[in-house]
Amino acid sequence: MFKITKSNRHSIVWHFYQAVFMILLSCSFLWSGTTGKLAGRVFDENNEPLVGVNIIIQNSAMGASSDIEGFYYIINIPAGTYDVEFSFIGYKTRIVKDVNISADQTTTIEANLEVAALEGETVTVIAERPIVELKATSSVSTVSSSEIEAMPVLNLNDIVDLQAGVVDGHFRGGRIGEVQYQINGVTVNNIYDNSMSLQLDRSLLEEVQVISGTFDAEYGQAMSGVVNVVLKSGSQDFNWTAESFISDYIYTSGDRRNQTDKFRPFSIQNYQASLSGPTFIPKTFFLTSVRYFEDNGYIYGERRFNTTDKSDLELKIPNPTGDGKEIAMSESKEITGLLKLSNNALGNIKIEYQAILNMIEKKPYNFSFRLNPDGVSTQNTFSIVHGLDLSHQLSDKTFYTLSVRQNYFDYSDYVYKDFYDERYDLAGPVQSIDQSYELGALVQGVSANRFEQTTNTLVVKGAFTSQMNREHLVKVGAEAQYSEMRFGTPGYLVSTGSFFTRHINEPPDYPGVQTYYPLAFVGYAQDQIEWQDFIFRAGLRWEYFDAQSTTPGNLRNPANAIPGVPESTPKETSVKSSVAPRLGVSYPVSENAALFFAYGHFYQMPPLREFFTNSNYDVLINLQAGGISYGVLGNPDLKPEKTVQYEFGYKHAITPTTGVNVNVFFKDIRNLLGVEFISTYTAADYARLTNIDFGNVIGYTVTFDQRQMGPFSTSVDYTWQRAMGNASNPTETATRAEAGEDPRPRLIPLNWDQRHTLNVSLIYEPGDNFTISGIARYNSGQPYTPSIRSGFGGELEENSGRKDASVRVDLRAEKAFMLDNLNLSVYMRILNLFDTDFVNGFVFGDTGSPDYSLTPASSATTLANPNRYYPPRRVELGISVSAN
């Protein structure tokens, strides 16, 4: 296998571009993930089809004409809300306003044109979005910008967590990191941990599409779900908005959290502004937005000690020299920026550039540092996703797109960036007097944490879409990723009494920051058949991955340190390839009801940190039976994890404003990341990661939507699911073995096995530009492991206990005004209205409660830590202004 080195890296990049170019040439069709389709039929007053009717999307160049049977369709429509015009000589022009177009979905509008008595007569109607999407072949939730604005949510994660089947970031019982996040059709996942590399607040979102069930072949590197985000765009007219809010935590002092509530109205601050409109370049529009957000949390410490204080640890005499100031223990500051440019000057060619920027500075909460808060490390994140999109409409049936993205993510965690900063030596390692003084609080020193992680990924994606005929939408596509990923410890600070000893880049015990260059390619084919109301979607996805690394050739002699046995030479990792079939059917059983079924195989490479963390097997050079543990070793030759999922459902529009959706699902999960134990020739055992864990999930969801019945709109969704597996995280088996417990696999409830989840959303609009919205959440208890005593053998069957259930309520009230040409609104948002203080958090194994333990002396520090409780009630006051 050809390996990437510093000397040939430029050659590899060149070959990568060549491969991408060849893939794009071989593509026939691909759907971009940001556009939808408008289709329907046009009739006269007698329900006879009209041929030649002009259908135009106003303020755009998009349109079509009806065929001899009155059918029409328009493809490649960016997600959003539009006014659609139907015109024909001799008939009244019909304008349908507020037509919602969703990504990857077909919106159906049928029109009956009336004969015109006078030329130029117009009929205007308001489009009603279907209460249920009868043509959807799986569980898809689409949230528009208008719906987002009315909800008591702050960011994308809040919106996702409200969807049926999602529990604390787990989609239908899957592990964290099994979700693909896309912005405008291109992935923004960080391959290091498979998490989203950006934080998005709600002001940037045009549409959020959450697929919690099976999904089409166009989506991959995900086993549990897809979140597809469409960002807002610039407009032909100048528009600007500004928003600001301040917030404080309000709760009862001395409650279970044992904190004193003080009036801090600027505990949380948010300032956001955006501007959009035309540029000096013809038919070129822009959107720019910037946001500053600051959150000090509700837990405060005291700067009683400075990091350089020197207490008498032997005589247990503290020597505090701090100023006694209150310091936020979980402070975070965030800056988000967006720039988007759109050009339509070249006729049917549209060119866009977008850049999204995140900068986050955060102090992680650590109860031990509550009297020495300056000793905790600072986490800094810088991420940017930017690139070009080109869309060329070749005809009313065909268009192609090309996308190039750079996803850059940089993270660091240390007190001082410079490894040789003298302040490390002045402060020294963290020290406490003993448990009798402030429960062992740290009274001097600084954290030795030092970690860096950078991912720089180039994503190239081609797209070509064609409506072959009225029934068939065929898609074939490809994508390529080339990544440079580096992570590790930029210098080790080892505590030696009251001093630090430094080690930098001394493998295998003290490895430095390492760099890796994985490659990934994807191809897929899919056909969507729409025959009357019957929908059939079938697809096939091919995925290719090369870690570009090596593993020991002989795992029984991993460090090549055992004499007289076969040698172990580095072996190149194998190329991983998988083929995943996908199938979806929606069949109408009546005009307002449909059954749907979906099936698919879903593959995902594990997070790449698991490939390469602790993956230098030379660390085992002194491995002996019964000796020290070297932790779980990484494995650069891991295989993709696999889920086979089945879904069956029923959708029914009971009335035009009331609908219900019921679906049942089952997931068979294999090749999950776990641990295997390998014996060397000297009978010494070590643990390493491999594809060995397994699980299954079964459940059902019931969703009820009621839209605008008088002043009320309501949405209710209930999920029952059972998530079982042999381990909740990859290293759990090794942890059990080290504790002397039975490491053999068994099927138990997973840590996030929340059997019952109920979300209720209510919007009340009595008129006079006043709106109240609320969200209530009920969560049943997740499992925990009971114990009858501390120490070895004291725990009962793992995850056999259940925590208490919880209820949370969020509320938002808004009043809008017109002030000259300004749209002005003031609002109040209350998160955790009833101050719920426990939501599936920490509990003591011997009591099942967060409040008390049967061993209070040994649990004193945990009992004093308020962070085991859910954050308190938060009241937010804000104002927003806009003009156009």
Side-chain angles (χ1 to χ4, degrees):
M1 185 185 298
F2 186 59
K3 313 304 293 183
I4 295 181
T5 63
K6 288 184 178 179
S7 60
N8 64 19
R9 190 180 307 166
H10 293 294
S11 175
I12 282 291
V13 174
W14 170 244
H15 286 296
F16 172 80
Y17 281 123
Q18 286 182 316
V20 172
F21 181 69
M22 294 303 295
I23 289 175
L24 296 182
L25 286 180
S26 67
C27 293
S28 296
F29 310 98
L30 186 144
W31 189 259
S32 67
T34 64
T35 62
K37 172 182 168 184
L38 177 66
R41 206 173 181 188
V42 187
F43 303 92
D44 63 15
E45 294 173 292
N46 299 316
N47 285 326
E48 294 294 329
L50 287 175
V51 60
V53 176
N54 293 317
I55 302 96
I56 297 172
I57 297 179
Q58 293 187 342
N59 299 318
S60 79
M62 295 177 287
S65 296
S66 59
D67 63 16
I68 194 170
E69 296 180 61
F71 288 100
Y72 73 93
Y73 54 82
I74 305 173
I75 62 174
N76 196 25
I77 308 173
T81 302
Y82 301 90
D83 296 340
V84 180
E85 178 183 307
F86 297 81
S87 61
F88 193 49
I89 297 175
Y91 289 81
K92 295 179 182 179
T93 297
R94 187 178 183 87
I95 299 176
V96 183
K97 301 181 71 66
D98 299 335
V99 176
N100 186 269
I101 302 295
S102 296
D104 291 348
Q105 301 294 323
T106 299
T107 298
T108 301
I109 297 292
E110 295 192 347
N112 288 79
L113 300 190
E114 304 173 22
V115 176
L118 300 173
E119 186 176 351
E121 285 187 282
T122 300
V123 176
T124 301
V125 297
I126 305 297
E128 291 291 339
R129 184 176 176 180
I131 192 66
V132 294
E133 295 290 347
L134 296 178
K135 294 185 177 182
T137 59
S138 63
S139 297
V140 181
S141 298
T142 302
V143 188
S144 66
S145 58
S146 59
E147 293 170 322
I148 293 171
E149 289 173 2
M151 297 165 64
V153 295
L154 297 177
N155 52 45
L156 175 64
N157 291 334
D158 292 341
I159 299 168
V160 172
D161 284 342
L162 280 175
Q163 308 311 312
V166 181
V167 176
D168 297 334
H170 300 269
F171 279 52
R172 288 193 172 176
R175 287 178 174 177
I176 290 290
E178 294 184 357
V179 179
Q180 172 72 208
Y181 289 89
Q182 296 194 347
I183 294 180
N184 287 354
V186 181
T187 178
V188 291
N189 279 37
N190 182 1
I191 60 172
Y192 172 75
D193 58 3
N194 279 345
S195 66
M196 187 176 181
S197 59
L198 293 167
Q199 300 292 328
L200 295 178
D201 73 279
R202 66 181 199 145
S203 66
L204 305 178
L205 309 177
E206 177 64 39
E207 179 182 274
V208 176
Q209 190 179 81
V210 180
I211 308 175
S212 57
T214 58
F215 39 90
D216 290 338
E218 62 187 295
Y219 299 111
Q221 188 54 16
M223 294 197 300
S224 292
V226 175
V227 177
N228 191 17
V229 177
V230 179
L231 299 178
K232 293 180 178 179
S233 298
S235 59
Q236 298 182 13
D237 301 314
F238 281 107
N239 298 278
W240 64 266
T241 64
E243 181 178 359
S244 176
F245 68 76
I246 57 175
S247 182
D248 189 17
Y249 295 94
I250 299 177
Y251 55 99
T252 303
S253 296
D255 62 3
R256 297 169 83 182
R257 302 181 184 91
N258 196 27
Q259 292 287 290
T260 301
D261 182 23
K262 294 185 178 181
F263 181 62
R264 300 183 179 98
F266 294 93
S267 290
I268 300 176
Q269 305 173 53
N270 181 88
Y271 308 95
Q272 183 269 335
S274 64
L275 176 66
S276 64
T279 68
F280 61 90
I281 303 173
K283 295 186 178 181
T284 302
F285 312 99
F286 76 94
L287 168 65
T288 182
S289 177
V290 64
R291 173 180 180 253
Y292 174 80
F293 178 77
E294 180 178 320
D295 185 357
N296 291 323
Y298 76 97
I299 302 176
Y300 282 74
E302 174 194 350
R303 190 186 284 132
R304 186 182 305 178
F305 294 89
N306 288 313
T307 59
T308 54
D309 286 348
K310 301 299 178 184
S311 298
D312 192 328
L313 303 180
E314 184 176 352
L315 297 178
K316 301 181 182 180
I317 301 175
N319 181 32
T321 66
D323 57 14
K325 183 179 178 182
E326 284 189 328
I327 303 296
M329 294 293 293
S330 56
E331 178 186 33
S332 66
K333 299 176 181 178
E334 178 182 341
I335 295 176
T336 303
L338 168 69
L339 173 63
K340 190 171 183 180
L341 298 171
S342 304
N343 178 275
N344 299 318
L346 301 177
N348 292 329
I349 297 177
K350 182 178 180 180
I351 301 174
E352 287 191 342
Y353 171 80
Q354 66 178 23
I356 312 168
L357 170 75
N358 263 174
M359 292 187 293
I360 303 173
E361 180 184 286
K362 183 177 181 180
K363 288 280 190 179
Y365 175 83
N366 190 322
F367 185 62
S368 298
F369 282 91
R370 64 191 180 279
L371 302 181
N372 177 25
D374 296 332
V376 74
S377 61
T378 301
Q379 299 172 345
N380 284 285
T381 301
F382 174 86
S383 57
I384 184 171
V385 173
H386 72 117
L388 287 168
D389 298 312
L390 182 146
S391 175
H392 186 187
Q393 189 87 28
L394 298 176
S395 69
D396 60 348
K397 296 182 178 181
T398 304
F399 71 96
Y400 70 85
T401 66
L402 295 173
S403 298
V404 179
R405 290 279 196 283
Q406 180 191 21
N407 297 343
Y408 181 83
F409 180 89
D410 182 75
Y411 170 86
S412 64
D413 182 3
Y414 33 60
V415 180
Y416 309 117
K417 181 176 182 179
D418 185 356
F419 180 51
Y420 296 99
D421 195 309
E422 65 176 6
R423 288 174 291 182
Y424 277 125
D425 302 300
L426 293 174
V430 292
Q431 302 275 358
S432 64
I433 293 178
D434 65 8
Q435 189 69 11
S436 65
Y437 181 78
E438 296 288 356
L439 300 176
L442 300 174
V443 298
Q444 63 188 56
V446 296
S447 170
N449 286 353
R450 290 187 61 80
F451 181 76
E452 291 180 349
Q453 193 273 306
T454 302
T455 304
N456 191 7
T457 300
L458 175 68
V459 182
V460 181
K461 189 173 182 178
F464 197 99
T465 302
S466 182
Q467 184 82 42
M468 304 295 292
N469 52 42
R470 187 191 306 160
E471 289 82 20
H472 287 269
L473 177 66
V474 180
K475 318 168 190 179
V476 178
E479 179 181 317
Q481 290 189 28
Y482 167 72
S483 299
E484 178 182 23
M485 184 184 72
R486 57 186 298 273
F487 71 94
T489 302
Y492 293 78
L493 296 168
V494 180
S495 175
T496 308
S498 59
F499 302 97
F500 280 127
T501 300
R502 287 178 169 84
H503 299 272
I504 186 168
N505 200 20
E506 300 173 15
D509 296 326
Y510 302 102
V513 177
Q514 304 296 309
T515 306
Y516 308 93
Y517 303 94
L519 287 170
F521 297 92
V522 169
Y524 74 83
Q526 183 167 304
D527 185 14
Q528 175 176 308
I529 302 173
E530 298 185 41
W531 185 69
Q532 295 183 359
D533 292 325
F534 175 81
I535 307 295
F536 179 82
R537 300 166 79 105
L540 199 65
R541 183 179 180 88
W542 169 78
E543 296 181 346
Y544 168 104
F545 177 81
D546 187 355
Q548 290 276 84
S549 188
T550 61
T551 60
N554 186 350
L555 293 176
R556 298 192 65 190
N557 183 18
N560 208 26
I562 306 175
V565 301
E567 291 187 355
S568 179
T569 57
K571 181 181 69 173
E572 294 177 343
T573 54
S574 62
V575 169
K576 307 301 185 299
S577 180
S578 60
V579 177
R582 313 280 172 84
L583 177 68
V585 178
S586 178
Y587 178 75
V589 294
S590 72
E591 183 180 355
N592 300 314
L595 296 172
F596 69 91
F597 169 78
Y599 161 82
H601 290 213
F602 306 93
Y603 293 90
Q604 181 178 18
M605 296 307 300
L608 294 195
R609 68 181 176 197
E610 312 295 0
F611 281 65
F612 302 114
T613 297
N614 197 24
S615 62
N616 185 349
Y617 286 65
D618 290 343
V619 74
L620 301 176
I621 191 170
N622 296 316
L623 179 67
Q624 298 180 3
I628 64 173
S629 171
Y630 292 89
V632 177
L633 275 78
N635 182 0
D637 208 20
L638 291 170
K639 301 175 183 177
E641 300 169 312
K642 178 183 179 181
T643 292
V644 178
Q645 185 170 179
Y646 306 82
E647 182 177 15
F648 177 81
Y650 172 75
K651 299 170 287 187
H652 187 185
I654 302 171
T655 70
T657 59
T658 306
V660 65
N661 189 332
V662 180
N663 70 77
V664 181
F665 59 88
F666 175 76
K667 296 169 65 174
D668 181 34
I669 309 168
R670 303 288 173 175
N671 288 339
L672 281 175
L673 208 55
V675 169
E676 65 177 345
F677 297 94
I678 298 177
S679 294
T680 68
Y681 291 106
T682 60
D685 293 338
Y686 66 94
R688 80 162 191 162
L689 292 171
T690 191
N691 299 90
I692 196 171
D693 282 358
F694 58 89
N696 64 69
V697 183
I698 187 171
Y700 64 88
T701 65
V702 179
T703 303
F704 173 83
D705 287 311
Q706 173 264 312
R707 184 181 302 157
Q708 203 66 37
M709 184 178 292
F712 292 100
S713 298
T714 308
S715 176
V716 180
D717 67 72
Y718 168 76
T719 301
W720 179 90
Q721 67 179 19
R722 187 190 66 194
M724 307 287 285
N726 71 303
S728 295
N729 65 74
T731 60
E732 185 176 304
T733 301
T735 302
R736 292 203 309 269
E738 289 182 5
E741 301 173 5
D742 186 355
R744 290 176 297 181
R746 70 277 187 265
L747 201 63
I748 60 172
L750 299 173
N751 290 347
W752 53 90
D753 177 38
Q754 184 171 292
R755 297 294 170 88
H756 305 280
T757 304
L758 177 67
N759 297 319
V760 179
S761 300
L762 175 67
I763 299 177
Y764 175 62
E765 298 177 282
D768 198 25
N769 296 319
F770 180 68
T771 303
I772 297 178
S773 62
I775 297 173
R777 303 174 177 90
Y778 168 82
N779 302 323
S780 64
Q782 296 175 6
Y784 75 96
T785 302
S787 62
I788 55 176
R789 63 178 182 273
S790 60
F792 178 76
E795 292 186 341
L796 300 178
E797 184 178 354
E798 186 171 357
N799 279 351
S800 59
R802 287 282 166 176
K803 302 174 185 178
D804 291 338
S806 62
V807 176
R808 288 170 293 159
V809 176
D810 298 335
L811 193 67
R812 186 179 192 272
E814 180 177 14
K815 172 66 175 176
F817 306 89
M818 282 296 298
L819 185 62
D820 292 332
N821 294 323
L822 297 179
N823 300 311
L824 177 69
S825 68
V826 293
Y827 61 87
M828 178 177 67
R829 185 159 38 211
I830 305 177
L831 306 179
N832 194 8
L833 175 66
F834 298 112
D835 197 20
T836 299
D837 50 19
F838 180 80
V839 182
N840 277 316
F842 169 85
V843 297
F844 292 97
D846 55 7
T847 65
S849 168
D851 297 322
Y852 66 100
S853 167
L854 299 181
T855 56
S858 60
S859 303
T861 301
T862 303
L863 287 166
N865 188 348
N867 199 48
R868 69 188 188 279
Y869 293 107
Y870 192 76
R873 178 193 303 111
R874 204 180 102 192
V875 177
E876 179 182 296
L877 298 175
I879 183 172
S880 65
V881 184
S882 64
N884 48 36

